[in-house]
Amino acid sequence: MSANAPVRPTLPVDILARKGGKSLVCLTAYTTPVARLVDPHCDVVLVGDSVGMVLHGLPSTLGVTMEMMILHGQAVMRGNAQAMAVIDMPFGSYEESPQQAFRNASRLMAETGAPAVKLEGGVHMHDTIAFLTARGVPVMAHIGLTPQSVNTLGGYKVVGRDADAARVMADAEAVQAAGAFSVVLEKTPEGLSSRITQTLTIPTIGIGAGVHCDGQILVIDDMLGLFTDFRPKFVKRYANLGETASEAIADYAAEVRARSFPGPEHSFADVLPAKGTNK
Ligand code: KIV
């Protein structure tokens, strides 16, 4: 590409074409400034429903609403130039029927401009994914640990060990057959993730799924050290921005208390009236 070629956003077909190629780089983002930071480095930016936990202080993703996803999706799209944006369908917005899923997926796409949605579930979501993809909604699937099912799974555990492995493989094959253009594998053992990656013709994107997936995704606040309530084993901290921010806030508080901030360089001089004009 020439240096002056216009940047065009990556599309689901481009991601599909990357199967087995250079590893796909994916991160979440929820705001415009962070989307601007992520965009030049990533193939995919996900407006994840993890936003509920990392930005809104919710105990799980279950309380995330369509309105929250739309607001954060619009913010991310304002900072998006070349990465492919995907927006999560929140809990309760797609499970009831394919028609409900289409109504909400099309609303997410229309109101944010994101070219694709992500939803959780394998075999039992086959018909819904097929319904959406047949009607112009590109779907990224999400199997293995599906956080919206935390209450039926009994916690955020590894999924796909032993007898469960065949079920996760069946989920992977089902979402591919339904037309998903890629699939997130969350917290699945690395041998199983590798087998799924070799079996499927669509890219697998791993989070806690080992190095053999076609790409990797992390929650941005986890990898920057901004969300520290808990830290899954699969999170690598690339920075400690939470600590840096805490130190900066403590410095500010100390300077305000000592009246050493604001200094003259942060203050505005009075405009004195010219001599002889002050009546
Ligand atoms: O909501 C999210 O951030 C996700 C990623 C963890 C894949 O679904």
Side-chain angles (χ1 to χ4, degrees), residues 229-254:
D229 291 8
F230 56 86
R231 179 176 171 188
K233 178 182 174 181
F234 57 74
V235 171
K236 177 171 176 183
R237 285 257 163 84
Y238 286 83
N240 281 308
L241 297 195
E243 272 174 30
T244 306
S246 178
E247 282 164 20
I249 293 162
D251 287 349
Y252 166 74

Side-chain angles (χ1 to χ4, degrees), residues 28 30 46-51 61 69 88 118 120 140 142 147 184 186 205 207 217-220 222 234:
T28 67
Y30 319 107
L46 170 69
V47 190
D49 62 353
S50 49
V51 68
T61 55
M69 294 311 301
D88 253 342
K118 176 166 83 59
E120 297 182 6
M140 176 182 280
H142 183 155
V184 170
E186 180 162 354
I205 298 167
I207 174 162
I217 187 161
L218 283 176
V219 169
I220 186 92
D222 285 341
F234 57 74

